[in-house]
């Protein structure tokens, strides 16, 4: 190959990119740039400051990635998932702390969490789950002003070099496809 020719590979988006001289192939994840830049993140702690958990229920389910709606809470897919099927359960009311939930809200968050686990077991067969809340920014909450419970399906061996070394998550399915599958298999209340 002459010095003017380049070995190229397809990025998966129909674009060709030159191979890097280190011999490594690249997995391009340009959608992650929105998260890195803080897009869709509220500008303050009030609901009108752009809270995505206040906005999502006002959208059609497919657009808001909503999986199920209750009277006090709802379930939706995480726009920036740790694994395929990573969902969250949120109260409709904009509250920051678990202790601020009234008994009916707390019960519905629990019921939607159980339903989400059931739907994930039916559709994806995970080996386990991480379920929990990050209360406050210091605890790791990306959006601390609106309480949300994470349900992350886990499989043996799903923590590998990609997220640890490469700071990249490999998701085998588009969010819209995951939402459609989970919503279809969501248990009736």
């Amino acid at each position: 190959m002459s010095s003017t020719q380049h070995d190229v590979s397809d990025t998966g988006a129909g674009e060709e990119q030159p191979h890097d001289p280190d011999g490594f192939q690249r997995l391009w994840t340009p959608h992650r740039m929105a998260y890195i830049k803080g897009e869709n993140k509220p500008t303050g702690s009030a609901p009108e400051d752009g809270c995505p958990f206040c906005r999502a229920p006002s959208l059609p389910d497919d657009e808001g990635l909503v999986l199920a709606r209750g009277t006090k809470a709802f379930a939706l897919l995480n726009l920036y998932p740790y694994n395929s099927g990573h969902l969250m359960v949120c109260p409709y009311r904009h509250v920051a702390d678990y202790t601020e939930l009234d008994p009916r809200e707390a019960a519905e968050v629990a019921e939607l969490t159980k339903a989400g686990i059931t739907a994930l077991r039916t559709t994806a067969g995970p080996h386990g789950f991480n379920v929990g809340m990050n209360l406050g920014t210091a605890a790791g909450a990306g959006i601390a002003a609106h309480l949300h419970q994470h349900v992350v399906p886990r499989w043996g061996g799903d923590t590998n070099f990609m997220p640890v070394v490469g700071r990249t998550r490999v998701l085998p399915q588009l969010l819209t496809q995951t939402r459609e599958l989970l919503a279809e298999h969501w248990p009736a209340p």
Side-chain angles (χ1 to χ4, degrees), residues 19 22 52 74 100 118 123 125 138:
H19 279 287
D22 62 7
F74 66 101
E100 295 177 59
T118 299
T123 60

Side-chain angles (χ1 to χ4, degrees), residues 1 3-11 15-28:
M1 184 178 321
S3 61
T4 58
Q5 293 176 315
H6 298 284
D7 186 18
V8 295
S9 63
D10 188 342
T11 64
E15 302 168 8
E16 291 188 346
Q17 297 288 325
H19 279 287
D20 284 330
D22 62 7
F24 286 94
Q25 298 252 345
R26 300 295 188 257
L27 177 62
W28 302 99

Side-chain angles (χ1 to χ4, degrees), residues 160-172:
N160 57 42
F161 74 95
M162 290 300 287
V164 175
V165 176
R167 310 242 341 122
T168 301
R169 301 203 187 279
V170 179
L171 303 171

Side-chain angles (χ1 to χ4, degrees), residues 114-128:
K114 287 170 51 178
I117 291 169
T118 299
L120 284 163
R121 280 193 175 127
T122 301
T123 60
H127 301 142

